[in-house]
């Protein structure tokens, strides 16, 4: 069913369904940057500011041009070029401009050509921005975070780290401290935000023109120090091969629905020149499960446009209209088709305008207001009303200019629940725009002012209702207002998750019993995360919420967006004490998998990955149903990847070349029918397809030197040259089985190194060793000499196993010879 906007002659609102249409990465924006000679440069280091319901995009300026460009959008998809918002000569090559709104002013932080930082300001997000400081120094990629207590912090690059400086004002910076981590080689592009009381930072590593430019994230309990990189989850965004590579310098923004989170970042553009490939903006959704952040990407195919709110009003008309109801009188009107006002003062009566549209029980609402005048009473007030049924049932969050504070009250059944007060930062200018945000989940109301969380109140007996604006002895203007029937990231439940990709088990679709799920027991046995009939618990081993107590006959439905038609492999992450369990996946009435069976894991907190190969999926939107068929198990996630069995590949290098292989780093050569790696550094070379799933690789290997190691790579993904800036040998994702003089080893590389297994075995230098690595599902077997009995057997039942990828060879500081390489299904 397709929805069309409901247009009313004097309509004050539009009820909106989920956003129609689709976008694709990378974006092609109007009026991108070009070099002076006409070569394409594009939109590097994109930063999004949302103000009063409108998004503003700022990007880095090409090095030989002056000025800062700005675009605007109301939906994150359709962008309008708004011209140069800054033109001062110092903006030549303005790197990574970020703009912060505070107290009526917009502050821009930028590092022209990387030569220190300057602060510019403007009363409008469109400029003109004028210079407010001299050169403040500091590394590139400045970013500002404002904490709930109103304290400011400035983040920028340091000596292979992120420096954090407390700020005493938008123009004043304290001494730096280290955020506490490094990506090794170069660390830049920080973005800090707070969620659930935890501070998160995304950051980028390696050189901007490297394909291995990527995004990691860290979390901590302080905005300044002690950030800890997310174990087993980084990089959260990377792609080194294909048409859209070099992903990095991200920032975060709330979607138009007020609830979703999006990561905006750039990639290498196909245009540009040999030296500078150019950059383009990309946008992908972020999903949360507990404290775990997942980027649903990177995507390059069509994705659903970001959803709009359930209700919004920009007051783009001349009359208030029938979508609003006046309560308590007052003088109300519309100004310049951009805001609503109320100017009656001198009374002790609340004047309200409330919407005809009502929220559901859980929701997020957003309001914008500024005070023009106030009366002579003790406490003139203005702000938001929500969960409004009538004057006997509502909540209110208002601003008090005289006492410089937020005030909230709730009335339930005609009984006031009591006013509570929260101080706002000193010097607050109430004649400027301020945002009030309300998040309601269950009985908890969280109130934010200008992004600062100021109160959380538990109020029973108050559900959803209408929203609106209120004044008491105040003349106020009211801007963009909206609500969404989602809160704390719940919009991801109904989102179409991109495949290939991972789906959290707790992100089944809405709709309740018989639509989103079928559960045989009443209520949520685990009591976690969601309040419907599905049993959800917290898993300490997984570090997130999982669906527990799954019984035969129960099922869960997930919305997915399949990138392309073809064969996919799926891996389900489960835990159980039952000796045998089984599940089935349906696409509508089509049985995709048959019954997938697995032996038990042995414990409810011991998780295993259960794979099924060869699922045929067609491109587009689907609803997949996961049905429990046998036994009982707890369910963490599903991961879908494109997959295929390799055809037989063999290379004895007898033709004098290594055609078909892709070399990375090191000194490679072919001579005398052997592939040789020089011993002075590290090197890797890969072959095959990233779709390869289960296979065996065998090779003859000779360690010429007596130090270092060499061996076989399997399940290779996102390989890149590790000598670009970082000089890191682990710039690859996959497994490395290798020989050293003292034995045989197995490790996992994910732009870092983790040793998995070891067996002692004398390996003589100068002697050929026959080696084979077999990968089947999560199980890796390593053979040396004896091709029947493995020297190592390891099952990667971590949350992030590599189940597909190319094959390869690697040498680490050992002059090595390779011969008779063979890949077989």
């Amino acid at each position: 069913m397709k929805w069309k906007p409901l247009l009313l002659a004097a309509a004050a609102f539009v009820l909106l369904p989920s956003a129609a249409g689709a976008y694709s990465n990378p974006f092609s924006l109007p009026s991108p940057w070009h070099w002076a000679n006409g070569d394409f440069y594009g939109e590097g280091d994109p930063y999004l500011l949302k103000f009063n319901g409108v998004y503003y995009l700022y990007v880095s300026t090409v090095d030989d041009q002056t000025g800062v460009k700005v675009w605007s959008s109301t939906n994150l998809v359709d962008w309008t070029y708004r011209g140069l918002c800054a033109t001062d000569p110092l903006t030549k090559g303005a790197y990574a401009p970020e703009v912060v709104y505070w107290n009526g002013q917009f502050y821009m932080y930028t590092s022209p050509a990387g030569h220190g930082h300057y602060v510019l300001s403007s009363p409008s997000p469109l400029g003109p921005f004028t210079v407010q400081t001299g050169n403040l120094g500091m590394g590139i990629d400045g970013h500002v975070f404002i904490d709930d207590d109103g304290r400011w912090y400035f983040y920028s690059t340091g000596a292979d780290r992120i420096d954090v400086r407390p700020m005493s004002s938008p123009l004043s910076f304290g001494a730096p401290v280290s955020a506490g981590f490094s990506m090794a080689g170069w660390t830049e592009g920080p973005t800090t935000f707070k969620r659930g009381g935890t501070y998160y930072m995304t950051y980028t590593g390696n050189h901007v023109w490297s394909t291995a430019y990527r995004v990691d994230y860290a979390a901590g309990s302080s905005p300044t120090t002690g950030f800890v990189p997310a174990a087993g989850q980084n990089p959260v965004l990377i792609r080194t091969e294909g048409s859209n590579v070099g992903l990095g310098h991200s920032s975060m923004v709330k979607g138009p629905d007020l609830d979703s989170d999006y990561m905006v970042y750039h990639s290498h553009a196909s245009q540009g020149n040999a030296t500078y490939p150019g950059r383009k903006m990309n946008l992908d959704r972020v999903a949360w499960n507990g404290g775990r952040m997942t980027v649903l990407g990177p995507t390059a195919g069509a994705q659903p446009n970001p959803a709009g709110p359930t209700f919004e009003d920009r007051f783009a008309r001349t009359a208030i209209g029938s979508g609003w109801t006046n309560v308590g009188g007052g003088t109300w009107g519309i100004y310049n088709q951009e805001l609503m006002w109320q100017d009656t003062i001198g009374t002790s009566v609340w004047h309200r305008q409330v919407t005809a549209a009502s929220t559901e029980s859980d929701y997020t609402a957003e309001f914008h207001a500024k005070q023009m005048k106030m009366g002579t009473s003790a406490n003139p007030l203005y702000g938001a009303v929500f969960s409004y049924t009538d004057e006997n049932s509502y909540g209110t969050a208002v601003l008090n200019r005289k006492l410089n504070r937020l005030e909230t009250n709730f009335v339930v059944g005609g009984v006031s629940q009591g006013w509570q007060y929260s101080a706002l930062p000193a010097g607050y200018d109430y004649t400027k725009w301020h945002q009030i945000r309300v998040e309601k989940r269950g009985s908890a109301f969280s109130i934010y002012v200008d992004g600062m969380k100021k109160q959380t109140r538990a109020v029973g007996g108050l559900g959803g209702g209408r929203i609106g604006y209120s004044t008491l002895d105040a003349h106020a203007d009211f801007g963009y207002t909206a609500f969404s029937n989602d809160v704390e990231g719940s919009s991801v439940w109904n989102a179409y998750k991109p495949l290939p990709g991972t789906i959290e088990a707790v992100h089944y679709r809405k709709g309740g019993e018989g639509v989103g799920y079928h559960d045989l027991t009443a209520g949520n046995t685990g009591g976690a995360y969601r309040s419907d009939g599905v049993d959800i618990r917290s898993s300490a081993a997984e570090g997130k919420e999982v669906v527990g107590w799954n019984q035969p006959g129960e099922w869960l439905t997930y919305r997915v967006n399949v990138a392309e038609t073809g064969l996919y492999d799926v891996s389900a992450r489960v835990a159980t004490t039952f000796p045998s369990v089984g599940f089935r996946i349906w696409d509508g009435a089509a049985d995709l998998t048959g019954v997938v069976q697995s032996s038990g894991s042995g414990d409810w907190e011991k998780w295993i990955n259960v794979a099924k190969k060869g699922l045929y999926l067609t491109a587009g939107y689907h609803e997949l149903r996961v049905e429990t068929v046998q036994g009982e198990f707890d369910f963490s996630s599903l991961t879908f990847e494109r997959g295929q069995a390799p055809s037989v590949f063999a290379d004895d290098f007898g033709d004098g070349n290594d055609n078909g292989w892709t070399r990375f780093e090191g000194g490679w050569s072919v001579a005398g029918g052997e592939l040789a790696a020089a011993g002075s550094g590290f090197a890797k070379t890969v072959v095959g397809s990233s779709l390869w799933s289960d296979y065996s690789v065998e090779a003859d290997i000779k360690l010429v030197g007596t130090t270092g190691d060499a061996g076989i790579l399997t399940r290779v993904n996102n390989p890149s040259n590790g000598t670009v800036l970082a000089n890191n040998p682990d710039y690859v994702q996959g497994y490395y089985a290798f020989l050293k003089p003292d034995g045989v080893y197995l490790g996992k590389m994910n732009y870092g190194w983790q040793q998995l297994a070891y067996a002692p075995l004398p390996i003589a230098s100068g002697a050929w060793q026959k080696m084979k690595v077999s990968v089947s599902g999560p199980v890796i077997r390593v053979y040396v000499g004896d091709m029947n009995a493995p020297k190592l057997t390891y099952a990667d039942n971590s949350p992030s196993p590599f189940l597909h990828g190319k094959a390869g060879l690697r040498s680490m500081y050992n002059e090595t010879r390779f011969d008779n390489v063979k890949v077989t299904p």
Side-chain angles (χ1 to χ4, degrees):
M1 180 177 182
K2 293 184 178 179
W3 290 77
K4 295 182 178 180
L6 176 63
L7 301 178
L8 303 177
F13 66 95
V14 178
L15 285 175
L16 301 171
S18 297
Y23 75 94
S24 295
N25 287 323
F27 280 70
S28 293
L29 295 182
S31 301
W33 277 111
H34 288 80
W35 292 88
N37 66 5
D39 285 343
F40 182 85
Y41 182 83
E43 307 88 33
D45 309 320
Y47 179 79
L48 291 177
L49 166 73
K50 187 181 182 185
F51 174 74
N52 215 345
V54 179
Y55 297 95
Y56 298 91
L57 168 66
Y58 307 88
V59 304
S60 281
T61 303
V62 63
D63 292 65
D64 64 359
Q65 302 289 301
T66 297
V68 176
K69 291 188 174 186
V70 59
W71 294 257
S72 67
S73 173
T74 59
N75 60 12
L76 286 179
V77 174
D78 302 307
W79 292 94
T80 300
Y81 177 57
R82 304 300 297 273
L84 293 175
C85 63
T87 58
D88 191 281
L90 73 77
T91 60
K92 184 176 181 180
Y95 287 0
E98 293 201 2
V99 176
V100 176
Y101 173 77
W102 186 256
N103 233 13
Q105 284 290 309
F106 295 84
Y107 295 93
M108 177 184 291
Y109 302 82
T110 187
S111 179
H115 301 306
H117 266 91
Y118 295 82
V119 185
L120 298 81
S121 74
S122 169
S124 166
L126 301 176
F129 283 86
T130 57
V131 179
Q132 300 299 307
T133 69
N135 192 335
L136 300 165
M138 304 182 293
I140 62 172
D141 297 347
H143 168 75
V144 169
F145 166 69
I146 303 172
D147 207 349
D148 294 336
D149 57 8
R151 295 181 181 179
W152 288 47
Y153 301 90
F154 187 78
Y155 304 78
S156 64
T157 57
D160 189 24
R161 68 182 198 184
I162 299 299
D163 280 341
V164 189
R165 291 173 169 85
M167 302 173 66
S168 56
S169 78
L171 307 178
S172 302
F173 303 79
V177 296
S178 172
F181 59 84
S182 169
M183 286 184 80
W186 183 248
T187 311
E188 64 183 20
T191 290
T192 300
F193 55 96
K194 194 175 184 179
R195 189 177 191 277
T198 297
Y199 298 89
Y200 293 88
M201 187 189 299
T202 62
Y203 51 98
T204 293
N206 207 31
H207 194 275
V208 64
W209 298 129
S210 168
T211 60
Y213 204 56
R214 62 198 185 278
V215 177
D216 285 9
Y217 86 94
S221 58
S222 164
T224 54
T225 61
F227 283 90
V228 178
Q233 299 177 64
N234 289 322
V236 294
L237 189 72
I238 186 171
R239 178 174 287 150
T240 70
E241 297 182 306
S243 60
N244 208 34
V245 302
L247 316 179
H249 198 111
S250 65
S251 61
M252 300 281 286
V253 69
K254 285 289 181 187
D257 64 359
L258 314 182
D259 177 72
S260 57
D261 289 311
Y262 280 87
M263 178 178 283
V264 58
Y265 57 95
H266 72 237
S267 62
H268 292 178
S270 57
Q271 302 100 319
N273 56 47
T275 304
Y276 300 102
R279 295 177 286 181
K280 282 193 170 184
M281 184 181 83
N282 296 253
L283 188 73
D284 277 314
R285 185 165 186 154
V286 169
W288 293 92
N289 182 351
R292 291 174 62 98
M293 182 183 79
T294 302
V295 180
L296 300 182
T299 65
Q303 302 302 316
N305 284 348
T310 307
F311 161 91
E312 66 177 3
D313 198 343
R314 300 178 185 277
F315 303 108
R317 55 187 182 278
T318 58
I320 293 177
S322 60
W324 291 78
T325 299
N326 175 252
V327 179
T331 307
W332 297 82
I334 300 293
Y335 172 74
N336 200 31
Q337 300 188 43
E338 64 183 30
L339 59 83
M340 181 168 65
W341 53 264
Q342 195 294 122
D343 68 358
T344 295
I345 58 177
T347 72
S348 59
V349 177
W350 282 104
H351 304 314
R352 308 193 203 278
Q353 286 282 349
V354 295
T355 61
S358 293
T359 71
E360 294 178 359
S361 180
D362 290 352
Y363 62 86
T364 301
E366 186 178 291
F367 311 86
H368 297 81
K370 61 180 178 179
Q371 188 184 85
M372 307 304 292
K373 296 180 181 179
M374 61 181 175
T376 58
S377 64
N379 295 312
L381 302 170
Y382 69 102
V385 62
F386 44 89
S387 286
Y388 184 93
T389 300
D390 53 34
E391 287 297 294
N392 292 312
S393 182
Y394 64 89
T396 190
V398 291
L399 303 180
N400 187 322
R401 177 179 176 181
K402 285 189 174 182
L403 298 178
N404 194 38
R405 68 190 187 187
L406 165 72
E407 302 187 0
T408 68
N409 186 29
F410 295 84
V411 177
V412 181
V415 179
S416 171
Q417 305 302 296
W419 287 90
Q420 291 189 12
Y421 312 106
S422 297
L424 294 173
Y428 232 45
D429 186 346
Y430 291 84
T431 68
K432 307 302 184 184
W433 288 111
H434 296 287
Q435 183 198 84
I436 298 173
R437 177 180 170 92
V438 178
E439 297 179 356
K440 180 183 182 297
R441 183 176 183 184
S443 62
F445 290 82
S446 294
I447 314 296
Y448 298 75
V449 178
D450 292 337
M452 300 175 290
K453 188 175 184 178
K454 289 300 179 183
Q455 292 185 18
T456 296
R457 296 187 62 174
V459 181
L462 202 60
R466 294 179 281 173
I467 68 169
Y469 288 113
S470 296
T471 68
L472 180 66
D473 196 23
H475 169 193
D477 288 350
F478 301 105
Y480 177 78
T481 185
F483 71 73
S484 168
N485 293 317
D486 283 294
V487 64
E488 297 179 359
S490 67
S491 57
V492 78
W493 305 343
N494 262 18
Y496 286 91
K497 292 83 172 170
L499 298 188
T502 295
I503 306 168
E504 297 290 334
V506 295
H507 290 166
Y508 54 90
R509 64 155 294 181
K510 298 178 182 179
E513 173 63 42
V515 177
Y517 64 87
H518 174 53
D519 196 278
L520 297 174
T521 57
N524 179 347
T525 301
Y529 192 61
R530 298 177 68 164
S531 58
D532 54 28
V534 175
D535 305 317
I536 299 176
R537 69 175 180 90
S538 295
S539 167
E542 293 288 88
K544 61 181 182 178
E545 316 296 337
V546 300
V547 177
W549 298 277
N550 293 282
Q551 304 177 49
E554 296 183 339
W555 48 262
L556 301 158
T557 301
Y558 299 91
R559 287 181 165 177
V560 299
N561 177 24
V562 179
E564 57 182 335
T565 299
L567 294 177
Y568 288 76
D569 297 341
V570 63
S571 176
R573 191 156 174 78
V574 303
T576 182
T577 60
F578 280 61
S580 179
V581 295
F583 64 89
R584 186 195 313 261
I585 302 178
W586 300 83
D587 182 0
D591 182 352
L592 287 178
T593 61
V595 177
V596 182
Q597 290 186 308
S598 171
S599 57
S601 67
D603 189 89
W604 295 107
E605 281 291 85
K606 183 179 180 181
W607 294 86
I608 59 174
N609 302 301
V610 181
K612 174 67 176 180
K613 301 184 184 304
L615 285 66
Y616 183 77
L617 295 173
T618 57
Y621 300 146
H622 297 258
E623 290 198 352
L624 304 183
R625 190 169 76 254
V626 180
E627 176 194 7
T628 303
V629 177
Q630 176 189 348
E632 294 185 15
F633 58 88
D634 288 0
F635 175 31
S636 176
S637 62
L638 283 177
T639 298
F640 289 82
E641 299 178 81
R642 290 298 311 276
Q644 68 179 36
S647 52
V648 174
F649 169 86
D651 197 342
D652 64 3
F653 308 105
D655 56 3
N657 64 63
D658 59 347
N659 293 344
W661 294 81
T662 301
R663 300 178 180 181
F664 296 88
E665 318 117 351
W668 291 99
S669 61
V670 177
E674 299 170 3
L675 177 65
S680 58
F682 53 89
K684 60 180 176 287
T685 183
V686 301
V687 70
S689 168
S690 61
L691 303 185
W692 285 0
S693 53
D694 295 351
Y695 56 87
S696 294
V697 187
E698 57 185 76
D700 294 336
I701 302 173
K702 180 166 63 176
L703 303 181
V704 177
T706 58
T707 61
D709 57 75
I712 292 173
L713 294 166
T714 54
R715 302 268 178 81
V716 173
N717 292 271
N718 291 307
S720 188
N721 188 335
T723 64
V724 177
L725 193 65
N727 199 38
N728 189 318
D730 300 322
Y731 268 33
V732 66
Q733 294 172 316
Y735 301 102
Y736 178 41
F738 59 93
L739 304 176
K740 292 182 69 172
D742 66 338
V744 55
Y745 294 75
L746 175 65
K748 183 177 182 179
M749 290 178 292
N750 190 10
Y751 282 75
W753 171 253
Q754 177 188 5
Q755 183 169 312
L756 302 178
Y758 159 75
L761 184 69
I763 303 294
S765 62
W768 285 101
Q769 306 288 336
K770 188 168 187 60
M771 187 177 190
K772 181 174 76 171
V773 182
S774 175
V775 287
S776 178
V779 179
I780 306 153
R781 296 178 175 86
V782 182
Y783 304 80
V784 180
D786 181 355
M787 295 292 103
N788 295 312
K791 296 292 188 292
L792 298 174
T793 300
Y794 185 87
D796 186 0
N797 281 310
S798 72
S800 55
F802 297 116
L803 299 176
H804 298 78
K806 302 178 182 182
L809 304 171
R810 187 180 192 226
S811 175
M812 283 283 293
Y813 302 100
N814 186 293
E815 184 181 349
T816 309
R817 302 290 184 270
F818 299 93
D819 203 357
N820 300 317
V821 180
K822 188 175 183 179
V823 180
T824 55

